[in-house]
Amino acid sequence: MDFNLDPKHQMIKEVCRKFADNEVETIAAEIDETERFPLETIEKMGKLGLMGISIPKEYGGAGAGYTGFAIAIEEISKSCATTSVILVAHTSLCASMIYNSGNKEQKQKYLVPLAKGEKLGAFGLTEPNAGSDASNQQTTAVLNGDHYLLNGSKIFITNGAHADTYVITAMTDTSKGLRGISAFIIEKGWEGFSFGPPENKMGIRGSSTTELIFQDIKVPKENLIGKEGQGFKMAMMTLDAGRIVVAAQALGIAEAALEESIKYVKERIQFKKPLSKQQIIQFMIADMATEVENGRNLVYKSAWLKDNGKSFGISSSMAKLYCSEMASRVTNKAIQLHGGYGYIKDYKVERLMRDARITEIYEGTSEIQRTVISSSILK
Ligand code: CAA
């Protein structure tokens, strides 16, 4: 057993830290405040190879696996969870689903530009009546000659209106329940494809979250991913891996909250000494650091399992469950340690706490993670 990062992963960590310090941290508060989608950062992440970090080199990616991906997301999330969620949805959901289940032509046409960062991706599974109950899809895709006719809508879609390439699910056979769900690649600009207004969110405010509306969109037959009826399983498998990087995102947010708190308690003088000299404060920092360390071990272990071809679904659910709830606890304590200053926007911990909250909800709520974990243990 070796708990050290190997040289390749250490290098990814250093490159991403430097990038996040210079290009991400500097605009994080502004894009949160103004809800600005950071197009310039996406372009820079593309040039650095981050948009396809886990995708093999033969498809234009960096071939760094999920360990490299998790490290990158952890570092970027320490600076800005808006930026990291753009990368998570693009790479772990849209690009990965095409990589895992697409055919040769689909990989050349769609995956390569996604992995190179030339196109931005999004993933549409959630619908008004299909949130946690993902199999209750109402969007339909009806085969009509050489194309499917797509009708319905998706909500809360990350990268929503800003993406170019979308992987979406729809019912191709409503009589078959979840075995009638299929997956498709669709493109921005196709007739009948429009967007709802951007959602006004509590956190990750610079990211784009919108409804996708499909009205008689003609989707060429060749844009079906895999076979008809395989869409639900493919989406679930995609989410299994996606949860590793959402856990890494929550971990990075918690690490940043811990770092900010350590700095603050060493500087802040109350009762004639720094807060860090008070035992009650020392114990809070100890608890926060222990939780962060636990979270990191879960994230790296689930990424290692995936990269080594081992079963990782339960581990990724555990990492996502623990890290997301841990990030909420740690950021909440960070606010407490900052006192009144923690509650105002001049201090980073205020944004960190708002950003942490969504990690307990998207890519499967904590309740769904508990369902997945317990049903595997108790079956
Ligand atoms: N891998 C492979 N197959 C799987 C699977 C997995 N992880 N999970 C389920 N399946 C298969 C089952 O084996 C079963 O197949 P068979 O019938 O052939 O045996 C089939 O799928 C149905 O399984 P279930 O009966 O368990 O399905 P269910 O309807 O009860 O749902 C669920 C299971 C775990 C609750 C699932 O619906 C789920 O994960 N819900 C949460 C959805 C979610 O995470 N949404 C996030 C949206 S994306 C997002 O948030 C992105 C973002 O913004 C950043």
Side-chain angles (χ1 to χ4, degrees), residues 243 246-254 257 287-288 291-292 294-295 298-299 316-334 352-353 355-362 364-371 373:
R243 287 166 184 160
V246 174
Q249 180 186 45
L251 170 66
I253 296 170
D287 287 346
M288 291 160 78
E291 290 215 74
V292 165
N294 254 338
L298 281 168
V299 169
S316 72
S317 275
M318 286 179 175
K320 203 280 187 178
L321 170 63
Y322 181 80
C323 288
S324 60
E325 296 193 345
M326 177 274 283
S328 283
R329 285 192 297 273
V330 168
T331 53
N332 197 16
K333 279 190 180 136
L352 293 172
M353 184 180 168
D355 286 350
R357 191 63 182 83
I358 188 61
T359 65
E360 293 180 69
I361 297 169
Y362 59 26
T365 60
S366 287
E367 292 69 31
I368 288 298
Q369 308 312 325
R370 288 190 168 91
T371 304
I373 296 162

Side-chain angles (χ1 to χ4, degrees), residues 85 88-89 93 123 125-126 130-136 156-158 178-179 209 232-234 236-240 243 246 313 361-365 368-369 371-372 375:
V85 75
V88 164
L93 300 181
F123 175 78
L125 173 72
T126 304
S132 289
D133 186 6
S135 63
N136 187 32
F156 301 148
I157 304 308
T158 304
L178 58 81
R179 284 187 192 79
T209 309
F232 185 74
K233 277 197 184 186
M234 292 185 310
M236 290 301 113
M237 287 160 75
T238 302
L239 286 170
D240 281 345
R243 287 166 184 160
V246 174
I361 297 169
Y362 59 26
E363 292 213 29
T365 60
I368 288 298
Q369 308 312 325
T371 304
V372 169
S375 60

Side-chain angles (χ1 to χ4, degrees), residues 19 23 39-50:
F19 173 74
E23 310 286 352
L39 284 168
E40 76 278 24
T41 315
I42 297 170
E43 200 186 322
K44 289 171 192 166
M45 290 197 293
K47 286 193 178 130
L48 211 55
L50 291 175

Side-chain angles (χ1 to χ4, degrees), residues 66-142:
Y66 267 69
T67 310
F69 193 2
I71 290 167
I73 292 295
E74 179 187 353
E75 290 307 320
I76 292 168
S77 303
K78 280 160 93 170
S79 292
C80 176
T82 275
T83 306
S84 62
V85 75
I86 294 170
L87 189 52
V88 164
H90 167 91
T91 309
S92 77
L93 300 181
C94 179
S96 292
M97 181 118 157
I98 301 173
Y99 171 64
N100 289 327
S101 309
N103 60 32
K104 250 196 225 158
E105 291 72 31
Q106 290 167 345
K107 285 180 183 164
Q108 282 312 319
K109 184 170 177 190
Y110 292 108
L111 177 61
V112 171
L114 287 166
K116 288 182 172 169
E118 294 163 359
K119 299 276 184 195
L120 186 65
F123 175 78
L125 173 72
T126 304
E127 298 185 1
N129 294 313
S132 289
D133 186 6
S135 63
N136 187 32
Q137 302 270 304
Q138 319 273 299
T139 294
T140 55
V142 178

